Amino acid sequence: MRIVQATPFYHPIVGGVEKVVKKISEFLVKKGYEVIVVTYNRDRKHIANFAPIEEINGVKVIRVKPLIIWSHGSYSPSISTIVKSLSPDIVHVHVWRHPHVLQLRNIDSIRVLQPHSPFYMREQVGYITFIYYKLIDKIGKNVIKKYNIISMTPLEREILYRKFNINSKLIPNGVDDELFSINSKGDNYYFYIGRISKEKNILTMLKAYKLSGITRPLIIAGPDNGFAKEISRYIEINNINVKYLGEVSEKDKIDLLSKCRALVNPSPYEGFGLTLLEAQAIGKPVIITGHGGQEFAAPPGKSSIRAENDAESLAKAFIQMEDEVLYKKLSEGAKNWAKNFRYSMILDKYLKFYKNLLSI
């Protein structure tokens, strides 16, 4: 079986989607299948500095030069020609609303689409992007029906049915089994890791942290998506005990998680939230804001404290997380919940889904 994974970005670019695609691809290679990733030769800063063709851990990676680039989007007229030339049995397309979803809709292979739940709120992405989302959703109603769909959460499955009247196969994101053997090394600080961008709602987190009056530091890490200067300015002006580390390695991320009190995810909507699972696997509870896939990845009251999308509510969540009795309960619940998402259980679901489609 030959599988093509078509995705906007791929390793070594860091991100939730990128990690999912890498995990699926390398798992399939270990199972003896041929996997080719077709992506774009660019990073998030619009820089192209990768080999056009290379092999990474047994996965062949083809990076196509984009003709047009905007934000996280890319367009290349050659995507469909390249994928067709590979004669795949399965084409697994990632991230709804990207041009390659439209380009590959009629390719003569089994077609799978994993939207990765990009149903962000208007306040997160701004009016222009939100209008673009609405337009593509309207235009693409018939396009999305050309694919066999994978949803990550029950909420995404519900959204997809409501928006497009389509059913989907639920396969949640996973977490590395090795993380469960890592012990906590302390509870020294609160921790945020992710893209430093407006839609992640980091300013609200900073305002809440200041308002809470707690003494534990807050550490922020992640690649700058054009918002780091504003974050740094707020920290300096308000003289709060917050440190921004910039982008960190995978090894450093896990070390930082092992030493934190709790992970904070202030985004009012997340498709899922891989780092939520990673933190919980190490026994760290999380603070989440709003509604979305984060409530499935980290259930409130079981492994997380959920706040409304305002500084006052989030400040209360910080204060609650200082309660030792509640903290112990959430810490134990976090590890137990994360066990449901071990990659040793999750990855095989993709292979079974492929095989079922091929047998129909």
Side-chain angles (χ1 to χ4, degrees):
M1 180 165 55
R2 175 181 285 180
I3 306 108
V4 167
Q5 304 276 344
T7 182
F9 300 100
Y10 191 68
H11 179 81
I13 296 169
V14 176
V17 175
E18 292 73 35
K19 185 164 188 176
V20 170
V21 180
K22 185 172 184 287
K23 283 289 182 181
I24 297 169
S25 300
E26 293 180 2
F27 166 78
L28 292 169
V29 165
K30 286 180 181 177
K31 289 290 184 179
Y33 300 104
E34 184 181 5
V35 181
I36 304 164
V37 171
V38 178
T39 186
Y40 300 95
N41 201 335
R42 58 160 293 197
D43 62 16
R44 296 190 197 277
K45 294 182 179 178
H46 301 187
I47 297 170
N49 54 1
F50 303 103
I53 300 176
E54 61 180 325
E55 188 174 298
I56 303 174
N57 297 332
V59 179
K60 184 178 180 180
V61 181
I62 300 175
R63 301 186 195 268
V64 182
K65 183 179 178 181
L67 179 65
I68 303 171
I69 291 176
W70 67 96
S71 182
H72 302 309
S74 307
Y75 167 72
S76 170
S78 60
I79 283 286
S80 56
T81 303
I82 290 169
V83 172
K84 284 177 185 176
S85 72
L86 297 170
S87 301
D89 299 293
I90 300 276
V91 176
H92 188 157
V93 179
H94 295 268
V95 191
W96 172 237
R97 302 196 191 101
H98 281 259
H100 58 259
V101 179
L102 279 70
Q103 292 170 278
L104 299 173
R105 70 189 185 279
N106 290 321
I107 194 167
D108 190 21
S109 303
I110 299 294
R111 298 177 297 276
V112 175
L113 172 63
Q114 193 165 349
H116 293 274
S117 201
F119 303 112
Y120 294 101
M121 300 165 63
R122 184 185 63 199
E123 294 79 10
Q124 288 179 273
V125 297
Y127 280 99
I128 294 174
T129 301
F130 190 72
I131 290 169
Y132 167 76
Y133 284 177
K134 298 285 278 188
L135 180 64
I136 295 298
D137 287 353
K138 187 174 182 180
I139 294 171
K141 276 194 172 183
N142 292 324
V143 172
I144 201 168
K145 291 176 181 178
K146 299 273 189 177
Y147 290 90
N148 299 281
I149 308 296
I150 294 175
S151 54
M152 300 187 299
T153 67
L155 175 62
E156 183 183 19
R157 186 168 55 183
E158 178 191 321
I159 291 171
L160 289 167
Y161 186 80
R162 188 173 70 245
K163 274 180 165 290
F164 307 110
N165 195 31
I166 55 173
N167 294 310
S168 59
K169 172 70 174 178
L170 177 60
I171 304 179
N173 287 342
V175 63
D176 290 314
D177 291 59
E178 297 79 12
L179 292 181
F180 292 94
S181 62
I182 296 175
N183 295 319
S184 171
K185 299 176 183 176
D187 58 354
N188 307 332
Y189 47 80
Y190 289 92
F191 186 44
Y192 167 86
I193 185 162
R195 287 185 286 111
I196 311 302
S197 56
K198 185 177 181 180
E199 71 264 24
K200 295 299 184 181
N201 207 30
I202 300 169
L203 269 182
T204 299
M205 177 181 68
L206 293 177
K207 291 172 184 176
Y209 175 76
K210 179 186 176 186
L211 193 62
S212 72
I214 58 176
T215 56
R216 287 181 216 269
L218 170 62
I219 291 180
I220 296 173
D224 178 23
N225 274 192
F227 208 58
K229 283 185 179 179
E230 189 159 350
I231 295 302
S232 299
R233 190 181 305 116
Y234 184 91
I235 293 168
E236 184 179 353
I237 290 171
N238 290 276
N239 193 30
I240 51 178
N241 193 11
V242 181
K243 186 176 182 180
Y244 172 50
L245 302 179
E247 188 170 353
V248 297
S249 68
E250 188 72 12
K251 181 178 179 295
D252 287 341
K253 178 185 75 173
I254 300 305
D255 187 58
L256 285 161
L257 283 170
S258 72
K259 295 174 182 175
C260 76
R261 173 78 171 181
L263 180 73
V264 187
N265 188 321
S267 176
Y269 173 85
E270 284 288 330
F272 190 89
L274 277 175
T275 53
L276 298 176
L277 284 184
E278 291 170 339
Q280 291 172 97
I282 303 172
K284 302 295 182 175
V286 299
I287 296 173
I288 59 175
T289 297
H291 301 279
Q294 64 266 42
E295 291 184 286
F296 177 62
K302 182 177 287 186
S303 64
S304 73
I305 297 173
R306 193 192 71 80
E308 297 300 331
N309 183 24
D310 61 75
E312 291 77 13
S313 181
L314 188 50
K316 288 178 183 177
F318 273 112
I319 294 168
Q320 282 182 283
M321 195 60 81
E322 290 291 306
D323 181 279
E324 294 300 337
V325 175
L326 178 59
Y327 182 81
K328 184 179 179 182
K329 174 195 168 187
L330 294 176
S331 180
E332 291 173 356
K335 198 144 196 167
N336 288 332
W337 180 251
K339 287 176 182 176
N340 297 308
F341 301 90
R342 289 171 294 174
Y343 268 127
S344 58
M345 296 167 53
I346 297 296
L347 288 172
D348 197 52
K349 294 178 185 292
Y350 288 100
L351 182 55
K352 288 178 180 176
F353 186 55
Y354 291 165
K355 287 182 175 179
N356 182 59
L357 292 174
L358 286 168
S359 66
I360 294 174

